[in-house]
Amino acid sequence: MTSSPASTPPSAPAIPAADDLSLAAGDILFHEGEQGSDAYVILDGLMEISRRVGTAEILLSTCGSGEIIGEMALIEHMPRSATARALKPTVLRRLPQAEFDQLLASADPALGTLLTRMAHIIRTLTDTIVRQTLGVR
C-alpha cells in the first residue's frame, strides 16, 4: 500500500487526502478476524469482500467508488467479519475510528443505535448465508 493523492467524491466524508491508500489488484486491505481501527471510502477501483471457512472462500460482495468498507468493525467494536481484497487498482481514503466516532456523535443518537443493530443483523445473516452455502449447520 502506498499513499496517493486523489479527489474526494461528493459522498465521501471530508478526510485529508494524506489518508489515501493505493492498492494493486490482489492486495489485501484487511483480513477476517483482525481488529479494525479504520473504515475506508473507495475513491476509485473495486474491492471484493469475502469470508473463508476451511478451504472455501465465499464471496459476499463487491464494492466500488463511493462505498464505505470496514465500518462494521468500528460500529460493533468487534473483529473484522470478512477479508477485503482489491480486484483492480484501487484508491481508498482511510477513516480512522476517532473520526468515525465523531461523525456518529454529531448525528442523532438514534442513528448510532440503528447502525449497531443493523451491523449485528448483517453479521448474523452473513454467518447464516455462509453456513447454508457450505451446507453446515
Side-chain angles (χ1 to χ4, degrees):
M1 291 185 280
T2 58
S3 292
S4 167
S7 62
T8 304
S11 60
I15 305 165
D19 285 338
D20 289 0
L21 304 171
S22 292
L23 302 179
D27 284 355
I28 303 290
L29 179 62
F30 53 78
H31 289 91
E32 177 182 352
E34 290 178 347
Q35 193 59 40
S37 59
D38 303 299
Y40 300 88
V41 178
I42 302 170
L43 300 178
D44 187 41
L46 190 64
M47 298 293 293
E48 169 186 86
I49 311 300
S50 64
R51 295 268 311 263
R52 182 169 291 283
V53 179
T55 59
E57 187 170 358
I58 310 296
L59 175 64
L60 300 176
S61 68
T62 54
C63 302
S65 297
E67 294 187 75
I68 297 177
I69 60 174
E71 76 290 348
M72 285 180 49
L74 304 188
I75 293 168
E76 295 186 292
H77 302 283
M78 293 182 67
R80 301 277 188 202
S81 62
T83 296
R85 175 184 299 114
L87 291 177
K88 65 182 192 176
T90 299
V91 179
L92 305 111
R93 184 148 301 159
R94 186 174 70 89
L95 179 59
Q97 177 82 57
E99 293 178 33
F100 185 85
D101 290 344
Q102 286 177 343
L103 286 172
L104 283 182
S106 69
D108 185 314
L111 179 62
T113 302
L114 177 63
L115 286 174
T116 300
R117 180 69 182 136
M118 290 178 68
H120 175 74
I121 290 169
I122 291 168
R123 191 178 291 262
T124 301
L125 286 173
T126 300
D127 289 343
T128 300
I129 290 167
V130 167
R131 283 194 311 275
Q132 288 178 346
T133 300
L134 296 174
V136 177
R137 293 200 171 246

Coordinates of all heavy atoms in Angstrom, one line a residue, residues 39-136:
A39 N -12.2 2.5 8.9 CA -13.1 2.2 7.8 C -12.5 2.9 6.5 O -11.5 3.7 6.7 CB -14.5 2.8 8.0
Y40 N -13.0 2.6 5.4 CA -12.3 3.1 4.1 C -13.4 3.5 3.2 O -14.4 2.8 3.0 CB -11.4 2.0 3.5 CG -10.3 1.6 4.4 CD1 -10.5 0.6 5.3 CD2 -9.1 2.3 4.4 CE1 -9.5 0.2 6.1 CE2 -8.1 1.9 5.2 CZ -8.3 0.8 6.1 OH -7.3 0.5 6.9
V41 N -13.3 4.6 2.5 CA -14.1 5.1 1.4 C -13.4 4.7 0.1 O -12.2 5.1 0.0 CB -14.4 6.6 1.5 CG1 -15.3 7.0 0.3 CG2 -15.0 7.0 2.8
I42 N -14.0 4.0 -0.8 CA -13.4 3.7 -2.0 C -13.6 4.9 -3.0 O -14.7 5.3 -3.3 CB -14.1 2.5 -2.7 CG1 -14.0 1.3 -1.7 CG2 -13.5 2.1 -4.0 CD1 -14.8 0.1 -2.1
L43 N -12.4 5.5 -3.3 CA -12.4 6.7 -4.2 C -12.5 6.2 -5.7 O -13.1 6.9 -6.5 CB -11.2 7.5 -4.0 CG -11.1 8.1 -2.5 CD1 -9.8 8.9 -2.4 CD2 -12.3 8.9 -2.2
D44 N -11.8 5.1 -6.0 CA -11.7 4.6 -7.3 C -11.3 3.2 -7.3 O -10.4 2.8 -6.4 CB -10.7 5.4 -8.2 CG -10.7 5.0 -9.6 OD1 -11.8 4.8 -10.2 OD2 -9.6 4.9 -10.2
G45 N -11.8 2.3 -8.1 CA -11.4 0.9 -8.1 C -12.6 0.0 -7.7 O -13.7 0.4 -7.6
L46 N -12.2 -1.2 -7.3 CA -13.2 -2.3 -7.0 C -12.6 -3.2 -5.9 O -11.5 -3.7 -6.1 CB -13.5 -3.1 -8.2 CG -14.7 -4.0 -8.2 CD1 -16.0 -3.3 -7.9 CD2 -14.8 -4.8 -9.5
M47 N -13.3 -3.4 -4.9 CA -12.9 -4.3 -3.8 C -13.8 -5.5 -3.7 O -15.0 -5.4 -3.9 CB -12.9 -3.5 -2.4 CG -12.0 -2.4 -2.3 SD -10.2 -2.8 -2.4 CE -10.0 -3.7 -0.8
E48 N -13.3 -6.6 -3.3 CA -14.0 -7.9 -3.1 C -14.1 -8.1 -1.5 O -13.0 -8.0 -0.9 CB -13.3 -9.0 -3.8 CG -13.8 -10.4 -3.4 CD -12.9 -11.4 -4.0 OE1 -11.9 -11.8 -3.4 OE2 -13.3 -11.9 -5.1
I49 N -15.2 -8.4 -1.0 CA -15.4 -8.7 0.4 C -15.8 -10.2 0.5 O -16.7 -10.7 -0.2 CB -16.5 -7.9 1.0 CG1 -16.4 -6.4 0.7 CG2 -16.6 -8.2 2.5 CD1 -15.1 -5.8 1.2
S50 N -14.9 -11.0 1.2 CA -15.2 -12.4 1.3 C -14.9 -13.0 2.7 O -14.3 -12.4 3.5 CB -14.2 -13.1 0.3 OG -12.9 -12.9 0.6
R51 N -15.4 -14.2 2.9 CA -15.2 -15.0 4.1 C -14.6 -16.3 3.7 O -14.8 -16.8 2.7 CB -16.5 -15.3 4.8 CG -17.3 -14.1 5.3 CD -17.0 -13.8 6.8 NE -17.0 -14.8 7.7 CZ -18.0 -15.2 8.5 NH1 -19.2 -14.5 8.4 NH2 -17.9 -16.1 9.3
R52 N -13.7 -16.8 4.6 CA -13.1 -18.1 4.4 C -13.5 -19.0 5.5 O -13.5 -18.7 6.7 CB -11.6 -18.0 4.4 CG -10.9 -19.3 4.1 CD -9.4 -19.1 3.9 NE -9.1 -18.5 2.6 CZ -9.1 -19.0 1.4 NH1 -9.5 -20.3 1.3 NH2 -8.8 -18.4 0.4
V53 N -14.0 -20.2 5.1 CA -14.4 -21.3 6.0 C -13.6 -22.5 5.6 O -13.9 -23.1 4.5 CB -15.9 -21.5 6.0 CG1 -16.2 -22.6 7.0 CG2 -16.6 -20.2 6.4
G54 N -12.6 -22.9 6.3 CA -11.8 -24.0 5.9 C -11.1 -23.7 4.6 O -10.4 -22.6 4.6
T55 N -11.2 -24.5 3.6 CA -10.6 -24.2 2.3 C -11.5 -23.4 1.4 O -11.1 -23.0 0.3 CB -10.1 -25.4 1.6 OG1 -11.3 -26.3 1.4 CG2 -9.1 -26.2 2.5
A56 N -12.7 -23.2 1.8 CA -13.7 -22.5 0.9 C -13.7 -21.0 1.2 O -13.6 -20.5 2.3 CB -15.1 -23.0 1.2
E57 N -13.7 -20.3 0.1 CA -13.8 -18.8 0.1 C -15.1 -18.4 -0.4 O -15.5 -18.8 -1.6 CB -12.7 -18.1 -0.6 CG -12.6 -16.6 -0.5 CD -11.4 -16.0 -1.0 OE1 -10.5 -16.7 -1.6 OE2 -11.3 -14.8 -0.9
I58 N -15.9 -17.7 0.4 CA -17.3 -17.3 0.0 C -17.3 -15.8 -0.4 O -16.9 -15.0 0.5 CB -18.3 -17.5 1.1 CG1 -18.2 -18.9 1.6 CG2 -19.7 -17.2 0.7 CD1 -18.5 -20.0 0.7
L59 N -17.6 -15.4 -1.6 CA -17.7 -14.0 -2.0 C -19.0 -13.4 -1.4 O -20.1 -14.0 -1.6 CB -17.7 -13.9 -3.5 CG -17.9 -12.5 -4.1 CD1 -16.8 -11.6 -3.7 CD2 -18.1 -12.5 -5.6
L60 N -18.9 -12.4 -0.6 CA -20.0 -11.7 0.0 C -20.5 -10.6 -0.8 O -21.7 -10.4 -1.0 CB -19.7 -11.3 1.4 CG -19.3 -12.3 2.4 CD1 -18.9 -11.7 3.7 CD2 -20.4 -13.4 2.6
S61 N -19.6 -9.8 -1.4 CA -19.9 -8.6 -2.2 C -18.7 -8.0 -2.9 O -17.6 -8.3 -2.6 CB -20.6 -7.5 -1.3 OG -19.7 -7.0 -0.4
T62 N -19.0 -7.2 -3.9 CA -18.0 -6.3 -4.5 C -18.5 -4.9 -4.2 O -19.7 -4.6 -4.2 CB -17.8 -6.6 -6.0 OG1 -19.1 -6.5 -6.6 CG2 -17.3 -8.0 -6.2
C63 N -17.5 -4.0 -4.0 CA -17.8 -2.6 -3.6 C -16.9 -1.7 -4.5 O -15.8 -2.0 -4.7 CB -17.5 -2.4 -2.2 SG -18.4 -3.4 -1.0
G64 N -17.5 -0.6 -5.0 CA -16.8 0.3 -5.9 C -16.9 1.7 -5.3 O -17.2 2.0 -4.2
S65 N -16.5 2.6 -6.2 CA -16.4 4.0 -5.9 C -17.6 4.6 -5.1 O -18.7 4.3 -5.4 CB -16.2 4.9 -7.2 OG -15.1 4.5 -7.9
G66 N -17.2 5.3 -4.0 CA -18.2 6.0 -3.2 C -18.7 5.1 -2.0 O -19.4 5.6 -1.1
E67 N -18.4 3.8 -2.1 CA -18.9 2.9 -1.0 C -17.9 2.9 0.2 O -16.7 3.1 0.0 CB -19.1 1.5 -1.5 CG -20.2 1.4 -2.5 CD -20.5 0.0 -2.9 OE1 -21.1 -0.7 -2.1 OE2 -20.2 -0.4 -4.1
I68 N -18.4 2.6 1.4 CA -17.5 2.5 2.6 C -17.4 1.0 2.9 O -18.4 0.3 2.9 CB -18.2 3.3 3.7 CG1 -18.2 4.8 3.4 CG2 -17.4 3.1 5.0 CD1 -18.9 5.7 4.4
I69 N -16.2 0.6 3.3 CA -16.0 -0.7 3.7 C -15.2 -0.7 5.0 O -14.6 0.3 5.4 CB -15.2 -1.6 2.7 CG1 -13.8 -1.0 2.4 CG2 -16.0 -1.7 1.4 CD1 -12.9 -1.8 1.5
G70 N -15.4 -1.8 5.8 CA -14.7 -1.9 7.1 C -15.4 -1.2 8.3 O -14.9 -1.2 9.4
E71 N -16.6 -0.7 8.0 CA -17.3 0.1 9.0 C -17.9 -0.8 10.1 O -18.1 -0.4 11.3 CB -18.4 0.9 8.4 CG -19.7 0.2 7.9 CD -19.5 -0.7 6.7 OE1 -18.5 -0.7 6.0 OE2 -20.4 -1.5 6.5
M72 N -18.2 -2.1 9.8 CA -18.9 -2.9 10.8 C -18.0 -3.1 12.0 O -18.5 -3.1 13.2 CB -19.3 -4.2 10.2 CG -20.5 -4.1 9.3 SD -21.1 -5.6 8.6 CE -21.2 -6.8 9.9
A73 N -16.7 -3.3 11.8 CA -15.8 -3.5 13.0 C -15.8 -2.2 13.9 O -15.6 -2.3 15.1 CB -14.4 -3.8 12.5
L74 N -15.9 -1.1 13.3 CA -15.9 0.2 14.0 C -17.3 0.4 14.8 O -17.3 0.8 15.9 CB -15.7 1.4 13.1 CG -14.4 1.4 12.3 CD1 -14.2 2.7 11.6 CD2 -13.2 1.0 13.1
I75 N -18.3 0.0 14.1 CA -19.7 0.2 14.7 C -19.8 -0.7 15.9 O -20.3 -0.3 17.0 CB -20.8 -0.1 13.7 CG1 -20.8 1.0 12.6 CG2 -22.2 -0.1 14.4 CD1 -21.7 0.7 11.4
E76 N -19.4 -2.0 15.7 CA -19.7 -3.0 16.8 C -18.5 -3.2 17.7 O -18.6 -3.9 18.7 CB -19.9 -4.4 16.1 CG -21.2 -4.4 15.3 CD -21.5 -5.8 14.8 OE1 -20.7 -6.3 13.9 OE2 -22.4 -6.4 15.3
H77 N -17.3 -2.6 17.4 CA -16.1 -2.8 18.2 C -15.8 -4.3 18.3 O -15.5 -4.8 19.4 CB -16.2 -2.1 19.6 CG -16.5 -0.7 19.5 ND1 -15.5 0.2 19.2 CD2 -17.6 0.1 19.6 CE1 -16.0 1.5 19.1 NE2 -17.3 1.4 19.4
M78 N -15.9 -5.0 17.2 CA -15.6 -6.4 17.1 C -14.6 -6.6 15.9 O -14.4 -5.7 15.1 CB -16.9 -7.2 16.8 CG -17.9 -7.1 17.9 SD -19.4 -8.1 17.5 CE -18.7 -9.8 17.5
P79 N -14.0 -7.8 15.9 CA -13.0 -8.1 14.8 C -13.7 -8.0 13.4 O -14.9 -8.1 13.3 CB -12.5 -9.5 15.1 CG -12.8 -9.7 16.6 CD -14.0 -8.9 16.9
R80 N -12.8 -7.8 12.4 CA -13.3 -7.8 11.0 C -14.1 -9.1 10.7 O -13.7 -10.2 11.1 CB -12.2 -7.7 10.1 CG -11.3 -6.5 10.2 CD -11.9 -5.3 9.6 NE -10.9 -4.2 9.6 CZ -11.3 -3.0 9.4 NH1 -12.5 -2.6 9.3 NH2 -10.4 -2.0 9.5
S81 N -15.3 -8.9 10.1 CA -16.1 -10.1 9.8 C -15.8 -10.7 8.4 O -16.3 -11.7 8.1 CB -17.6 -9.7 9.8 OG -17.9 -8.7 8.8
A82 N -14.9 -10.0 7.7 CA -14.6 -10.5 6.3 C -13.2 -10.0 5.9 O -12.7 -9.1 6.6 CB -15.7 -10.1 5.3
T83 N -12.7 -10.5 4.8 CA -11.5 -10.0 4.2 C -11.8 -9.1 3.0 O -12.8 -9.4 2.3 CB -10.7 -11.2 3.7 OG1 -10.3 -12.0 4.8 CG2 -9.4 -10.8 2.9
A84 N -11.0 -8.0 2.8 CA -11.2 -7.1 1.7 C -10.0 -7.1 0.8 O -8.9 -6.9 1.3 CB -11.4 -5.7 2.2
R85 N -10.2 -7.4 -0.5 CA -9.1 -7.6 -1.4 C -9.5 -6.7 -2.7 O -10.6 -6.7 -3.1 CB -9.0 -9.0 -1.9 CG -8.0 -9.3 -3.0 CD -8.0 -10.7 -3.5 NE -7.6 -11.6 -2.4 CZ -8.5 -12.5 -1.9 NH1 -9.7 -12.7 -2.4 NH2 -8.1 -13.3 -1.0
A86 N -8.4 -6.0 -3.2 CA -8.6 -5.2 -4.4 C -8.7 -6.1 -5.6 O -7.9 -7.0 -5.8 CB -7.4 -4.3 -4.5
L87 N -9.7 -5.9 -6.4 CA -9.9 -6.7 -7.7 C -9.2 -6.0 -8.8 O -8.9 -6.7 -9.8 CB -11.4 -6.8 -8.0 CG -12.2 -7.7 -7.0 CD1 -13.6 -7.8 -7.4 CD2 -11.6 -9.2 -7.0
K88 N -8.9 -4.7 -8.7 CA -8.2 -4.0 -9.7 C -7.5 -2.8 -8.9 O -7.8 -2.7 -7.7 CB -9.1 -3.5 -10.8 CG -10.2 -2.5 -10.4 CD -11.0 -2.1 -11.6 CE -11.9 -0.9 -11.3 NZ -12.6 -0.5 -12.5
P89 N -6.6 -2.1 -9.5 CA -6.0 -1.0 -8.8 C -7.1 -0.1 -8.2 O -8.1 0.3 -8.8 CB -5.2 -0.2 -9.9 CG -4.9 -1.3 -10.9 CD -6.1 -2.2 -10.9
T90 N -6.9 0.2 -6.9 CA -7.9 0.8 -6.1 C -7.3 1.9 -5.2 O -6.3 1.7 -4.6 CB -8.7 -0.2 -5.2 OG1 -9.3 -1.2 -6.1 CG2 -9.8 0.4 -4.4
V91 N -8.0 3.0 -5.1 CA -7.6 4.1 -4.2 C -8.7 4.3 -3.1 O -9.9 4.4 -3.5 CB -7.4 5.5 -5.0 CG1 -7.0 6.6 -4.0 CG2 -6.4 5.3 -6.1
L92 N -8.3 4.3 -1.9 CA -9.2 4.4 -0.8 C -8.8 5.5 0.1 O -7.6 5.9 0.2 CB -9.2 3.1 0.1 CG -9.4 1.8 -0.7 CD1 -8.1 1.0 -0.7 CD2 -10.5 1.0 0.0
R93 N -9.8 6.1 0.8 CA -9.5 7.1 1.8 C -9.8 6.5 3.2 O -10.9 6.0 3.4 CB -10.3 8.3 1.6 CG -10.0 9.4 2.6 CD -10.2 10.8 2.0 NE -9.3 11.1 0.9 CZ -9.6 12.0 0.0 NH1 -10.6 12.8 0.1 NH2 -8.8 12.2 -1.0
R94 N -8.8 6.5 4.1 CA -8.9 6.0 5.4 C -9.7 6.9 6.3 O -9.5 8.1 6.3 CB -7.5 5.8 6.0 CG -7.4 5.1 7.3 CD -5.9 4.8 7.7 NE -5.3 6.1 8.1 CZ -5.3 6.6 9.3 NH1 -5.9 5.9 10.3 NH2 -4.7 7.7 9.6
L95 N -10.6 6.3 7.0 CA -11.4 6.9 8.0 C -11.2 6.3 9.4 O -11.7 5.2 9.7 CB -12.9 6.8 7.6 CG -13.9 7.5 8.6 CD1 -13.7 9.0 8.7 CD2 -15.4 7.2 8.0
P96 N -10.3 6.9 10.2 CA -9.9 6.3 11.5 C -11.1 6.3 12.4 O -12.0 7.0 12.3 CB -8.8 7.3 12.0 CG -8.4 8.1 10.8 CD -9.5 8.1 9.9
Q97 N -11.0 5.3 13.4 CA -12.0 5.1 14.4 C -12.5 6.4 15.0 O -13.6 6.7 15.2 CB -11.6 4.1 15.5 CG -12.6 3.9 16.6 CD -13.6 2.9 16.3 OE1 -13.3 1.8 15.9 NE2 -14.9 3.3 16.3
A98 N -11.5 7.3 15.5 CA -11.8 8.5 16.2 C -12.7 9.4 15.3 O -13.7 10.0 15.8 CB -10.6 9.2 16.6
E99 N -12.4 9.6 14.0 CA -13.1 10.4 13.1 C -14.5 9.8 12.8 O -15.5 10.5 12.7 CB -12.4 10.7 11.8 CG -11.1 11.5 12.1 CD -10.3 11.8 10.8 OE1 -10.9 11.9 9.7 OE2 -9.1 11.9 11.0
F100 N -14.5 8.5 12.7 CA -15.8 7.7 12.5 C -16.7 8.0 13.7 O -17.9 8.3 13.5 CB -15.5 6.3 12.3 CG -16.7 5.4 12.0 CD1 -17.1 5.3 10.7 CD2 -17.4 4.8 13.0 CE1 -18.3 4.5 10.4 CE2 -18.5 4.0 12.7 CZ -18.9 3.8 11.4
D101 N -16.1 7.9 14.9 CA -16.9 8.1 16.1 C -17.4 9.6 16.2 O -18.5 9.8 16.6 CB -16.1 7.8 17.4 CG -15.8 6.3 17.5 OD1 -16.5 5.5 16.9 OD2 -14.9 6.0 18.3
Q102 N -16.6 10.5 15.7 CA -17.0 11.9 15.7 C -18.2 12.1 14.8 O -19.1 12.9 15.1 CB -15.9 12.9 15.3 CG -14.8 13.1 16.4 CD -13.7 13.9 15.9 OE1 -13.5 14.1 14.7 NE2 -12.9 14.4 16.8
L103 N -18.2 11.5 13.6 CA -19.3 11.6 12.7 C -20.6 11.0 13.3 O -21.6 11.6 13.2 CB -19.0 10.8 11.4 CG -18.0 11.4 10.4 CD1 -17.6 10.4 9.3 CD2 -18.5 12.7 9.9
L104 N -20.5 9.9 14.0 CA -21.6 9.3 14.6 C -22.1 10.2 15.8 O -23.3 10.4 16.0 CB -21.3 7.9 15.2 CG -21.3 6.8 14.2 CD1 -21.0 5.5 14.8 CD2 -22.6 6.7 13.4
A105 N -21.2 10.8 16.5 CA -21.6 11.6 17.7 C -22.3 12.9 17.2 O -23.1 13.4 18.0 CB -20.3 12.0 18.5
S106 N -22.0 13.3 16.0 CA -22.6 14.6 15.5 C -24.0 14.3 15.0 O -24.7 15.2 14.6 CB -21.7 15.2 14.5 OG -21.7 14.4 13.3
A107 N -24.4 13.1 14.8 CA -25.7 12.7 14.3 C -26.7 12.4 15.4 O -26.3 12.4 16.6 CB -25.5 11.4 13.4
D108 N -27.9 12.3 15.1 CA -28.9 11.9 16.0 C -28.5 10.6 16.8 O -28.1 9.7 16.1 CB -30.3 11.7 15.3 CG -31.5 11.5 16.2 OD1 -31.4 10.7 17.1 OD2 -32.5 12.1 15.9
P109 N -28.7 10.6 18.1 CA -28.3 9.4 18.9 C -29.0 8.1 18.4 O -28.4 7.0 18.5 CB -28.7 9.7 20.3 CG -28.7 11.2 20.3 CD -29.1 11.7 19.0
A110 N -30.2 8.3 17.9 CA -30.9 7.1 17.4 C -30.1 6.4 16.2 O -30.2 5.2 16.0 CB -32.3 7.5 16.9
L111 N -29.4 7.2 15.4 CA -28.6 6.7 14.3 C -27.6 5.7 14.8 O -27.4 4.6 14.2 CB -27.9 7.8 13.5 CG -27.1 7.4 12.3 CD1 -28.0 6.7 11.3 CD2 -26.4 8.6 11.7
G112 N -26.9 6.0 15.9 CA -25.9 5.1 16.4 C -26.5 3.8 16.8 O -26.0 2.7 16.5
T113 N -27.7 3.9 17.5 CA -28.4 2.7 17.9 C -28.8 1.8 16.7 O -28.7 0.6 16.6 CB -29.6 3.0 18.7 OG1 -29.2 3.8 19.9 CG2 -30.4 1.8 19.2
L114 N -29.3 2.5 15.7 CA -29.8 1.9 14.5 C -28.6 1.2 13.7 O -28.7 0.0 13.3 CB -30.5 2.9 13.5 CG -30.9 2.4 12.2 CD1 -32.0 1.3 12.3 CD2 -31.5 3.5 11.3
L115 N -27.5 1.9 13.6 CA -26.3 1.3 12.9 C -25.8 0.1 13.6 O -25.4 -0.9 13.0 CB -25.2 2.3 12.8 CG -25.5 3.4 11.7 CD1 -24.4 4.5 11.8 CD2 -25.6 2.8 10.3
T116 N -25.8 0.2 15.0 CA -25.3 -1.0 15.8 C -26.2 -2.2 15.5 O -25.8 -3.3 15.3 CB -25.2 -0.6 17.3 OG1 -24.3 0.4 17.4 CG2 -24.8 -1.8 18.1
R117 N -27.5 -2.0 15.6 CA -28.5 -3.0 15.3 C -28.4 -3.6 13.9 O -28.3 -4.8 13.7 CB -29.9 -2.5 15.6 CG -31.0 -3.5 15.4 CD -30.9 -4.6 16.5 NE -32.0 -5.6 16.2 CZ -31.8 -6.9 16.3 NH1 -30.6 -7.4 16.7 NH2 -32.7 -7.7 16.0
M118 N -28.2 -2.7 12.9 CA -28.1 -3.2 11.6 C -26.8 -4.0 11.3 O -26.8 -5.0 10.6 CB -28.2 -2.0 10.6 CG -29.6 -1.4 10.5 SD -29.7 0.0 9.5 CE -29.5 -0.8 7.9
A119 N -25.7 -3.5 11.9 CA -24.5 -4.2 11.8 C -24.6 -5.6 12.4 O -24.0 -6.6 11.8 CB -23.3 -3.4 12.4
H120 N -25.2 -5.7 13.5 CA -25.4 -7.0 14.2 C -26.3 -8.0 13.3 O -25.9 -9.1 13.1 CB -26.1 -6.9 15.6 CG -26.4 -8.2 16.2 ND1 -25.5 -9.0 16.8 CD2 -27.6 -8.8 16.4 CE1 -26.1 -10.1 17.3 NE2 -27.3 -10.0 17.0
I121 N -27.3 -7.4 12.7 CA -28.2 -8.2 11.8 C -27.4 -8.7 10.6 O -27.4 -9.9 10.2 CB -29.4 -7.4 11.4 CG1 -30.4 -7.3 12.6 CG2 -30.1 -8.1 10.2 CD1 -31.5 -6.3 12.4
I122 N -26.6 -7.8 10.0 CA -25.8 -8.1 8.8 C -24.8 -9.2 9.2 O -24.6 -10.2 8.4 CB -25.1 -6.9 8.3 CG1 -26.1 -6.0 7.6 CG2 -24.0 -7.3 7.2 CD1 -25.6 -4.6 7.3
R123 N -24.1 -9.1 10.3 CA -23.1 -10.1 10.7 C -23.8 -11.5 10.9 O -23.3 -12.5 10.5 CB -22.4 -9.7 12.0 CG -21.2 -10.5 12.4 CD -20.6 -10.0 13.7 NE -19.9 -8.7 13.5 CZ -18.6 -8.5 13.3 NH1 -17.8 -9.6 13.2 NH2 -18.1 -7.3 13.2
T124 N -25.0 -11.5 11.6 CA -25.7 -12.7 11.8 C -26.2 -13.3 10.5 O -26.0 -14.6 10.3 CB -26.9 -12.5 12.7 OG1 -26.4 -11.9 14.0 CG2 -27.7 -13.7 13.0
L125 N -26.7 -12.5 9.6 CA -27.2 -13.0 8.3 C -26.0 -13.6 7.5 O -26.2 -14.6 6.8 CB -28.0 -12.0 7.5 CG -29.3 -11.6 8.0 CD1 -29.9 -10.4 7.3 CD2 -30.3 -12.8 7.9
T126 N -24.9 -12.9 7.5 CA -23.7 -13.3 6.8 C -23.3 -14.7 7.3 O -23.0 -15.6 6.5 CB -22.6 -12.3 6.9 OG1 -23.1 -11.1 6.3 CG2 -21.4 -12.8 6.1
D127 N -23.2 -14.9 8.6 CA -22.9 -16.2 9.2 C -23.8 -17.3 8.7 O -23.4 -18.4 8.3 CB -22.9 -16.1 10.7 CG -21.7 -15.3 11.2 OD1 -20.7 -15.1 10.5 OD2 -21.8 -14.9 12.4
T128 N -25.1 -16.9 8.7 CA -26.1 -17.9 8.2 C -26.0 -18.3 6.8 O -26.0 -19.4 6.4 CB -27.5 -17.4 8.5 OG1 -27.7 -17.1 9.9 CG2 -28.6 -18.3 8.0
I129 N -25.7 -17.3 5.9 CA -25.6 -17.5 4.5 C -24.3 -18.3 4.2 O -24.4 -19.3 3.4 CB -25.5 -16.1 3.7 CG1 -26.9 -15.5 3.7 CG2 -25.0 -16.3 2.3 CD1 -26.9 -14.0 3.3
V130 N -23.2 -18.0 4.9 CA -22.0 -18.8 4.7 C -22.2 -20.3 5.1 O -21.9 -21.2 4.4 CB -20.8 -18.2 5.5 CG1 -19.6 -19.1 5.6 CG2 -20.4 -16.8 4.9
R131 N -22.9 -20.5 6.2 CA -23.1 -21.9 6.7 C -24.1 -22.6 5.7 O -23.8 -23.7 5.3 CB -23.8 -21.9 8.1 CG -22.8 -21.6 9.2 CD -23.4 -22.0 10.5 NE -24.7 -21.4 10.8 CZ -24.9 -20.2 11.3 NH1 -24.0 -19.4 11.6 NH2 -26.2 -19.9 11.5
Q132 N -25.1 -21.9 5.2 CA -26.0 -22.5 4.2 C -25.3 -22.8 2.9 O -25.5 -23.8 2.3 CB -27.2 -21.6 4.0 CG -28.2 -21.7 5.2 CD -29.4 -20.7 4.9 OE1 -29.4 -19.9 4.0 NE2 -30.4 -20.9 5.8
T133 N -24.4 -21.9 2.5 CA -23.7 -22.1 1.2 C -22.8 -23.3 1.3 O -22.7 -24.1 0.3 CB -22.8 -20.8 0.9 OG1 -23.7 -19.7 0.8 CG2 -22.0 -21.0 -0.4
L134 N -22.3 -23.6 2.5 CA -21.4 -24.7 2.7 C -22.1 -25.9 3.1 O -21.5 -27.0 3.3 CB -20.3 -24.3 3.7 CG -19.3 -23.2 3.2 CD1 -18.4 -22.8 4.3 CD2 -18.6 -23.6 2.0
G135 N -23.4 -25.8 3.4 CA -24.1 -27.0 3.9 C -23.8 -27.3 5.3 O -23.9 -28.5 5.7
V136 N -23.4 -26.3 6.1 CA -23.0 -26.6 7.5 C -24.1 -26.0 8.4 O -24.7 -25.0 8.1 CB -21.7 -25.8 7.8 CG1 -21.3 -26.0 9.3 CG2 -20.6 -26.3 6.9

